[in-house]
Structure formats: C-alpha cells, structure tokens
Amino acid sequence: YDLVFLNSYGEVTCLTGHGHRRWSVQAGSGWSSLDSGSAQSEVSTVVPTLRTMELRVRGGNNVLLSAGAYSANILSPGGHKLESIDFPAMPNLDLQVMDFNADGLNDIVLCTAEGHYGYAQVRHFSTVPFTGLLACLLVAMISVYVSLHGTGNRRVKRGTEVID
C-alpha cells in the first residue's frame, strides 16, 4: 500500500509502505493560514480534500482527487496531473464524489458559502472506429485501382502488334 499526503503548499507526495518517496508533484491545490487569532481565518473556513475517486461508478479505475482553497486537481496513480478545476469560491466542506446526473460516471460536488457547484464528467467518444473505417476504404480504393490499371510493370500491346 502507498501513503499519500497533501500539504498546505499544494504538494501531493506518495510514499511507499516502507517510507520511500514514490513521487511528488506540485498540484497547486494549496491553502494559506491567515492570522490565527482572527475569528474568520481561512484555515477555519477552507476544508482541503485528498481522496481517491473512481472515474466510473463501481468501475475500479481510481484516480486521486486533491483540493485546496482555490482549485482541485485530479492525479493519476503515477502522479501525473490529468485535470485541473478552478473554484468560484472557497470550499467549506470536503469535495463530494457522486453520480448526480445518472450517466454512470462519478462527478464532483463543491459546497461553498455561496452555494453548491457540480462538475460533471463528459463522455468523449473515440475516433478509432472512424479512423479504422477510413483505413479500410483507402485499402479498398488502392486494390480497385491496381486491379483495373495494373501495377505499370507490363507493357500493354496494341491490337496491331498481336500476332495471330
């Protein structure tokens, strides 16, 4: 098992079970502490989030969600930044992960003092089938051309050159 930490500078660090650093990335999801004596310090109102998130509902494809005062980042298990989300306001609860639009993909809900914001995943269909169809069409066109016109290596004899 790995241990993952988020500090107030927005750095996410992953350690092995033996304490060796596997990776560390500046995710940009930090927060700052203001005057700790004030009643409305930012630390008391901002709730950072560090959690795993499945991309699909019961899909088993986990990513890491880290959030601070101004943004959230989705990181791959290898520490690569996949997506970044800027917040309209500072969160006062940790980010909630749920499928609120019933499309089978988990979405993110941000709770702030101003209201609730939902960030939905959008499906992007692959262009691989279309590319495959174009490749098949190209092969078919080349084979028709070669069968009609030949390869160009043999000389075409005229009707007057043919000996009976």
Side-chain angles (χ1 to χ4, degrees):
Y1 293 102
D2 291 341
L3 304 169
V4 182
F5 298 96
L6 170 66
N7 64 19
S8 63
Y9 297 112
E11 297 170 345
V12 180
T13 304
C14 178
L15 303 175
T16 64
H18 299 293
H20 301 290
R21 183 168 60 184
R22 185 177 304 269
W23 52 263
S24 182
V25 64
Q26 174 59 38
S29 51
W31 64 96
S32 63
S33 61
L34 299 174
D35 183 9
S36 60
S38 68
Q40 288 289 4
S41 71
E42 186 178 359
V43 174
S44 65
T45 59
V46 174
V47 178
T49 301
L50 180 64
R51 67 184 319 168
T52 59
M53 170 183 157
E54 289 183 342
L55 293 177
R56 296 178 184 267
V57 178
R58 295 180 299 278
N61 191 4
N62 291 328
V63 293
L64 196 64
L65 175 64
S66 69
Y70 307 106
S71 67
N73 293 290
I74 299 174
L75 304 172
S76 72
H80 302 287
K81 192 183 293 188
L82 301 176
E83 191 62 44
S84 206
I85 302 169
D86 292 326
F87 294 153
M90 291 186 285
N92 56 9
L93 291 174
D94 61 336
L95 294 180
Q96 303 298 310
V97 176
M98 64 184 73
D99 182 17
F100 61 78
N101 56 2
D103 63 349
L105 300 174
N106 278 324
D107 307 312
I108 299 171
V109 177
L110 167 68
C111 300
T112 68
E114 299 172 1
H116 301 317
Y117 299 91
Y119 296 94
Q121 289 189 60
V122 179
R123 289 184 193 266
H124 294 284
F125 294 102
S126 175
T127 60
V128 173
F130 182 69
T131 306
L133 287 174
L134 282 179
C136 290
L137 179 64
L138 183 65
V139 168
M141 288 174 57
I142 290 172
S143 64
V144 167
Y145 179 80
V146 168
S147 67
L148 291 178
H149 298 288
T151 59
N153 292 336
R154 50 189 177 134
R155 184 175 161 253
V156 178
K157 295 183 180 180
R158 296 182 184 163
T160 57
E161 295 176 356
V162 178
I163 301 175
D164 290 328

